[in-house]
Amino acid sequence: MSAQLAASHLAATTENLSFFGTDTWWLIVIKAVFCFAFAMLTVLFSIVWERKVVAWMQLRIGPNRHGPWGMLQSLADGVKLMLKEDLVVKRADKVVFVLAPIVAAIPAFMAFAVIPFGPADNEVSIFGQRTALQLTDLPIGILFILATASVGIYGIVLAGWSSGSTYPLLGGLRASAQMISYEIAMGLSFAAVFLYSGSMSTSTIVASQHDRWYVILLPVSFLIYICTMVGETNRAPFDMPESEGDLVGGFNTEYSSIKFALFMLAEYVNMVTVSAVATTLFLGGWRAPWPISTFWEGANHGWWPMLWFIIKVQLLLFFFIWLRGTLPRVRYDQLMTLGWKVLIPVSMVWLMLVAAVRAMRNEDYDFARIVLYIGGAVLALLLLSLLVDLFRDREEKRAAAAAGPLAPPERFDPMAGGYPVPPLPGQQAPVVPRRPSRARRQLVGAPGASGASDPGAAQTEKTKEDGDA
């Protein structure tokens, strides 16, 4: 049964990929230009939309000067950045400093080469040529997207290293650690989709969601990918590499003019890319939503699929904007804890459950028995973890009782080592006596009344008397 299922998946993949590679050269150029233009126009719209939505959430007006309703604000910002003076830091590695924004921006566009905007059965005619609404497809299309996303992170790392400054270097190191942490969980969430679709081809994955989207079949994978795509794009609340609160601007602190614009472009294009990937893998791709597809047969044919695809991408972009306007930035240790201690273990356990369910379905187990077996295994794991926590708490309480009362904290020195340092847990900063203002002493009246009502003033008078003596 497993061999037959694998053979059917292989045949379906070969049939779907046979539509690609037969277009004429001018049609390939038109598709490539369309992918680039789609990404650029979506970025220009997303910047204005983000400023409008955040202004609406914060009861502000937002951009309203350039163009109707301020819709040309992002275009004006781009022109302004291009006309600014381009500076190169004296201590920077000039070659890498110039190449870093290019390395960050170009891979962001490459992922659109395998994103399907419509069906792959040559339903659409462009200048008399029947073609698919997709530039190309690969048997490992999702791995191609992961590879291009990984290359884009090198631009941020090289920008931080080549700037010759401390804060950009810290931002680049944070970007590399964040990429490693969240790329693993992202790949594991993709693996569950591979198990259900039987392919890594983007067109085949969309075709396998004709009756039910994977967001319903694989909700945990979808939630994990939503968290990882926010971390991969360095967006709030995970914008640690460019945290202006403690790193001034992060990896792009020393950049200006067109180079800074390229980093900003790369961030927003990556947002569009991960939203398109989420739409392709979990939200049915170009397929119409459920109520529309039930009563309109032509909703998934012709040029209409492109409309549904764009709507889904825009909804995910709104989710990015909503997060930025709602949640505060997390601490760096919380970011790493979420990536390594939550997302990766949960995605691995979920992948094991999905693999077990697929194996049982291939062996013709009925649904009730699958739920019984998987539910029993999950309950056993939960009970085991509960027992471990109970015994751990008992051991900690026993060790605390054997240690006796805690020693009083040592006196805190705020200038230890010659630099001002904050107190550690358990330490208390010494209370600094404050001298009352002259206006307050005059309003109190007599010195005796001041000393009776204000301990600080009494201490000041006593010090003065001791000095006179």
Side-chain angles (χ1 to χ4, degrees):
M1 183 65 184
S2 301
Q4 294 177 359
L5 184 63
S8 63
H9 283 316
L10 180 61
T13 304
T14 305
E15 182 181 0
N16 287 336
L17 296 184
S18 64
F19 293 105
F20 303 99
T22 59
D23 296 329
T24 57
W25 65 270
W26 56 268
L27 192 56
I28 295 175
V29 172
I30 290 177
K31 287 184 177 182
V33 172
F34 169 78
C35 292
F36 177 79
F38 174 79
M40 288 296 297
L41 292 176
T42 307
V43 166
L44 293 178
F45 176 75
S46 299
I47 294 174
V48 179
W49 195 22
E50 179 173 11
R51 298 180 65 175
K52 287 280 190 182
V53 171
V54 174
W56 170 70
M57 296 177 71
Q58 298 175 352
L59 299 179
R60 295 186 289 106
I61 297 176
N64 61 350
R65 296 291 183 180
H66 300 287
W69 303 289
M71 294 301 293
L72 299 181
Q73 180 65 50
S74 56
L75 186 62
D77 292 340
V79 174
K80 180 191 71 173
L81 285 173
M82 291 181 185
L83 296 178
K84 280 183 174 292
E85 183 181 3
D86 190 10
L87 301 176
V88 178
V89 186
K90 182 183 295 186
R91 295 181 58 187
D93 189 326
K94 293 181 175 55
V95 176
V96 182
F97 188 81
V98 173
L99 289 179
I102 301 175
V103 173
I106 291 180
F109 293 94
M110 296 175 62
F112 283 96
V114 295
I115 296 296
F117 292 86
D121 51 0
N122 296 344
E123 285 190 1
V124 177
S125 176
I126 300 178
F127 297 114
Q129 294 285 335
R130 309 292 295 184
T131 184
L133 289 176
Q134 186 176 353
L135 179 57
T136 186
D137 199 3
L138 302 170
I140 54 171
I142 300 298
L143 296 184
F144 172 78
I145 295 175
L146 283 174
T148 54
S150 302
V151 171
I153 302 295
Y154 283 99
I156 298 177
V157 177
L158 293 177
W161 174 81
S162 64
S163 296
S165 181
T166 303
Y167 288 138
L169 178 61
L170 292 176
L173 293 176
R174 285 184 176 186
S176 61
Q178 188 168 330
M179 180 267 294
I180 295 172
S181 303
Y182 283 80
E183 196 109 346
I184 299 174
M186 179 182 289
L188 291 174
S189 65
F190 287 169
V193 177
F194 300 157
L195 289 175
Y196 260 85
S197 63
S199 174
M200 298 182 186
S201 166
T202 54
S203 59
T204 305
I205 291 174
V206 175
S208 61
Q209 301 180 61
H210 62 280
D211 55 347
R212 190 177 300 172
W213 295 355
Y214 286 152
V215 67
I216 301 175
L217 294 175
L218 305 170
V220 178
S221 297
F222 178 71
L223 294 177
I224 291 173
Y225 178 75
I226 290 295
C227 294
T228 56
M229 78 178 188
V230 178
E232 280 287 302
T233 53
N234 302 326
R235 290 281 300 183
F238 298 154
D239 53 341
M240 293 291 106
E242 52 187 12
S243 177
E244 71 277 1
D246 50 348
L247 296 182
V248 182
F251 62 92
N252 56 14
T253 301
E254 306 293 348
Y255 282 88
S256 61
S257 186
I258 188 64
K259 299 185 184 68
F260 181 83
L262 285 176
F263 278 119
M264 187 174 180
L265 176 67
E267 176 182 338
Y268 279 90
V269 173
N270 281 322
M271 288 172 53
V272 181
T273 301
V274 296
S275 300
V277 173
T279 301
T280 302
L281 296 183
F282 298 100
L283 300 180
W286 43 263
R287 296 188 175 276
W290 168 71
I292 300 176
S293 58
T294 54
F295 61 84
W296 183 15
E297 295 182 358
N300 293 325
H301 300 283
W303 293 93
W304 289 107
M306 187 178 294
L307 175 63
W308 316 129
F309 180 83
I310 293 175
I311 291 175
K312 295 174 185 178
V313 170
Q314 293 298 330
L315 289 176
L316 289 173
L317 290 176
F318 175 77
F319 175 75
F320 274 106
I321 300 171
W322 182 32
L323 284 182
R324 179 172 183 174
T326 305
L327 299 179
R329 182 183 295 117
V330 300
R331 296 198 314 266
Y332 190 69
D333 60 328
Q334 294 173 337
L335 176 72
M336 291 292 104
T337 300
L338 177 65
W340 287 101
K341 295 185 178 181
V342 178
L343 293 181
I344 294 178
V346 170
S347 58
M348 292 182 66
V349 173
W350 172 253
L351 182 61
M352 293 175 59
L353 293 177
V354 172
V357 171
R358 294 302 296 173
M360 291 180 181
R361 293 295 296 269
N362 293 340
E363 297 296 332
D364 293 335
Y365 282 84
D366 59 341
F367 182 75
R369 184 174 297 181
I370 293 175
V371 172
L372 180 62
Y373 290 161
I374 299 299
V378 171
L379 288 177
L381 287 175
L382 292 177
L383 290 175
L384 182 62
S385 64
L386 178 62
L387 292 176
V388 170
D389 289 338
L390 288 176
F391 284 109
R392 182 185 302 165
D393 291 341
R394 289 181 180 178
E395 291 294 333
E396 291 178 355
K397 292 180 181 179
R398 188 178 302 170
L406 296 177
E410 60 181 3
R411 184 178 180 275
F412 172 66
D413 183 8
M415 295 296 292
Y419 298 97
V421 294
L424 295 174
Q427 293 180 336
Q428 293 181 355
V431 180
V432 180
R434 300 293 182 183
R435 182 190 298 269
S437 64
R438 294 181 179 179
R440 182 180 177 187
R441 294 176 63 183
Q442 291 175 359
L443 290 175
V444 169
S450 173
S453 60
D454 192 347
Q459 180 68 24
T460 304
E461 294 295 335
K462 185 177 182 302
T463 305
K464 184 177 179 180
E465 292 174 359
D466 294 341
D468 294 340

